[in-house]
Amino acid sequence: DSGVTQTPKHLITATGQRVTLRCSPRSGDLSVYWYQQSLDQGLQFLIQYYNGEERAKGNILERFSAQQFPDLHSELNLSSLELGDSALYFCASSVGVAGDGELFFGEGSRLTVL
Amino acid sequence: GESVGLHLPTLSVQEGDNSIINCAYSNSASDYFIWYKQESGKGPQFIIDIRSNMDKRQGQRVTVLLNKTVKHLSLQIAATQPGDSAVYFCAETGRTSGYSTLTFGKGTMLLVSP
């Protein structure tokens, strides 16, 4: 158990809909990262928050947004969903930034868009 | 469990053999490298890391080798066990991203036969 909790574990929805994925980082970790894993693209970095502030942005679509709350949990919002958004979405956390040590990953939220 | 990739390079070994998984990284400015293991249905798990001021680092049954000249990283697993079966990813980061992001390679699937 990494200590990172993600909900829901599985989500099935339709094109055009909006979903919210939730992540609780390990106790004490200030950074939260979101990654998307698909069969053809591998693990793609989406966005990072550090202590409530956006720290870095990767290949995140404009239809996607995220935030980190004062209690350090984070949410990833995916809107106007398309079939191609079907993927595993991982949240990871670390004490500081990625270069300070390991990232701890949750078990992922599997999104299926029909 | 769920597959994380259907078209990954695959290394098949016998239990007890030594395994070597290779990775070519892309950014010559990267100076921190990590190997992750992802078992079916789970999130990536940290195995070992290495900074660019080193060319070798050893852990328990694992060794990482770094060749900065050709931008190549390898993971050696000694006395491979069936429990080592998983997808292995290398990841890189560096000062240019403020160590904020990890860029993951495509992954290699390791299959260990008893």
Side-chain angles (χ1 to χ4, degrees), chain A residues 10 33 35 37-45 48 55-58 88 90 97-108 110, chain B residues 2-8 32 34 36 38 41-47 49 51 89 93 97-106:
Chain A
H10 300 275
Y33 309 77
Y35 280 83
Q37 187 174 42
S38 59
L39 290 179
D40 57 346
Q41 292 294 320
L43 270 162
Q44 297 284 313
F45 169 70
Q48 179 209 357
R55 178 69 184 258
K57 231 173 186 176
L88 266 169
F90 285 104
V97 296
D100 289 345
E102 65 180 283
L103 267 58
F104 294 86
F105 282 80
E107 297 209 333
R110 176 166 286 284
Chain B
E2 298 163 347
S3 172
V4 297
L6 298 178
H7 304 292
L8 293 174
Y32 179 54
I34 311 101
Y36 280 85
Q38 186 175 21
K42 295 190 176 181
Q45 180 184 12
F46 175 95
I47 302 173
D49 60 359
R51 296 194 183 271
F89 294 94
T93 188
S97 73
Y99 298 104
S100 288
T101 66
L102 284 180
T103 301
F104 282 81
K106 293 294 185 186

Side-chain angles (χ1 to χ4, degrees), chain A residues 12-33:
Chain A
I12 301 173
T13 189
T15 55
Q17 294 299 304
R18 173 190 168 92
V19 298
T20 297
L21 309 180
R22 194 179 192 279
C23 170
S24 293
R26 286 190 328 149
S27 177
D29 284 358
L30 298 178
S31 276
V32 168
Y33 309 77

